[in-house]
Amino acid sequence: MGNTRIVRIVHLSDIHLWRFPRNPLALLGKRLVGATELLLGRARRFELDRLPAVVERVRALQADHVVITGDLTTLATPEEFHLARRVLGGILGDPARTTVLPGNHDRYTRMATRLRLFERTFSAFAPAVEYPWVRALGSDTYLMGLDPTRPGLTAQGVLPAAQLARARVLAAAIPPSARLIVACHYPVLAPEEHARELASKALRRAGGVIEWLRGLGRHLYLCGHVHTTWAFRPRSLEDQLSLNPGAAVMKSRTGRNPPGFFEITLQGPDVVIARHAWTGHDWKQWIYREERGFFAGAAAGKD
Ligand SMILES: [Fe+2]
Ligand SMILES: [Fe+2]
């Protein structure tokens, strides 16, 4: 197997920058009440003043690649996108080493979607504007991006049939010996204790997506959306290692879900997930999950 080079990836998600809009009525219309409640909740729980320290820690790691799996904003207003670009500037340096995917909150209003605010702010940090796409992270590791987000009053997503069809074609072109990573804001499956939370804001008609993923063989699945941390192999999709780093700066009510991010190390067939978490006083780092030999059977079939 040729994939002996070490690849280190930082995976962040659900940053949820927020700001009260200057012109809320025009932007939010009927959604104003819900949006105000949402912002008040975010203001209580998302510690934006922690972000510079997160950016600094990510920078210091000098990873080969940084992936942000969506929900950079909260109401997808121009002010929030501007703030996100500025605050995250320290890790949005080299587009070849950074990938940013949209979350449902980055499409919160129809106007944001129509004006393509996400694309206008972050399109440099993806290999294409249209989804899905594939980008190589070195010669033996490939990252595929999916986008099931859509504007609307629900947090549920749908992967359009055309996107799934195209994903099948792109996956078939990836060398069978390569390590495959799929990145998508929406998880397809969650650990049992989070299944109910995911159900209320799930990917709809996920059956076809799961069936396709099952045929991909071994892959990492980088997601977010449910604001908690996990690294698990779904029983019904055991060739997937699903990784959710949780919300980067969300206060933990119980202390059991401290905010932070993942550092993923790929070496040969091995996958090691390190957790970097802010305890409220200092950073803690530990091995969160190890999957020795995970990619050993990478040739299981990508067609
Ligand atoms: Fe989120
Ligand atoms: Fe989300």
Side-chain angles (χ1 to χ4, degrees):
M1 181 175 279
N3 51 12
T4 48
R5 194 175 74 84
I6 296 176
V7 178
R8 278 191 311 120
I9 299 163
V10 165
H11 175 203
L12 293 148
S13 203
D14 295 80
I15 291 158
H16 283 297
L17 282 147
W18 55 270
R19 191 162 256 197
F20 285 98
R22 252 178 256 145
N23 190 358
L25 263 178
L27 274 169
L28 301 166
K30 280 191 220 152
R31 311 187 81 178
L32 185 59
V33 174
T36 304
E37 277 171 15
L38 181 65
L39 280 181
L40 291 173
R42 293 285 191 257
R44 272 198 305 272
R45 299 204 63 199
F46 281 69
E47 302 183 289
L48 298 189
D49 55 356
R50 288 280 319 133
L51 268 172
V54 173
V55 167
E56 198 36 54
R57 190 165 177 99
V58 171
R59 256 162 75 97
L61 287 171
Q62 296 192 313
D64 297 290
H65 208 85
V66 176
V67 181
I68 304 178
T69 46
D71 280 1
L72 290 92
T73 64
T74 301
L75 301 180
T77 58
E79 291 100 322
E80 287 183 354
F81 276 108
H82 184 75
L83 184 64
R85 187 72 184 80
R86 189 162 56 77
V87 174
L88 299 173
I91 47 176
L92 296 174
D94 181 358
R97 292 175 57 188
T98 315
T99 299
V100 181
L101 291 109
N104 53 309
H105 279 273
D106 303 318
R107 312 260 193 233
Y108 191 77
T109 61
R110 287 185 195 286
M111 189 187 286
T113 305
R114 201 169 50 239
L115 295 176
R116 296 177 80 76
L117 293 182
F118 177 83
E119 286 77 4
R120 280 161 60 182
T121 314
F122 295 114
S123 66
F125 305 101
V129 175
E130 299 303 326
Y131 285 79
W133 44 247
V134 170
R135 82 187 307 177
L137 310 183
S139 59
D140 47 28
T141 306
Y142 291 83
L143 176 68
M144 178 185 286
L146 303 174
D147 177 19
T149 62
R150 55 194 185 141
L153 289 168
T154 154
Q156 294 182 333
V158 174
L159 191 73
Q163 228 186 100
L164 182 55
R166 181 78 187 131
R168 286 181 195 278
V169 173
L170 290 176
I174 293 172
S177 60
R179 295 177 289 217
L180 177 61
I181 303 169
V182 178
C184 176
H185 181 64
Y186 286 81
V188 285
L189 293 161
E192 228 168 273
E193 63 269 34
H194 303 296
R196 189 190 283 187
E197 187 182 351
L198 177 59
S200 64
K201 52 184 194 179
L203 189 65
R204 291 182 54 220
R205 302 197 286 276
V209 183
I210 291 172
E211 192 197 314
W212 164 66
L213 289 166
R214 212 175 270 137
L216 280 183
R218 291 290 161 96
H219 63 278
L220 305 185
Y221 188 90
L222 275 49
C223 58
H225 192 47
V226 177
H227 297 159
T228 192
T229 306
W230 71 58
F232 91 118
R233 303 267 297 271
R235 220 175 302 149
S236 59
L237 188 51
E238 58 184 15
D239 280 338
Q240 175 173 104
L241 176 57
S242 171
L243 300 175
N244 181 351
V249 293
M250 191 180 82
K251 252 191 274 184
S252 173
R253 283 199 182 103
T254 60
R256 273 180 292 155
N257 186 33
F261 58 88
F262 279 150
E263 179 186 2
I264 303 164
T265 303
L266 307 175
Q267 182 169 22
D270 300 338
V271 181
V272 178
I273 314 297
R275 176 84 186 144
H276 294 250
W278 178 253
T279 64
H281 310 284
D282 54 10
W283 284 101
K284 236 177 103 185
Q285 179 185 345
W286 70 99
I287 301 296
Y288 192 84
R289 176 113 183 185
E290 267 178 297
E291 290 276 344
R292 299 283 167 194
F294 181 77
F295 282 113
K302 305 232 164 359
D303 48 7

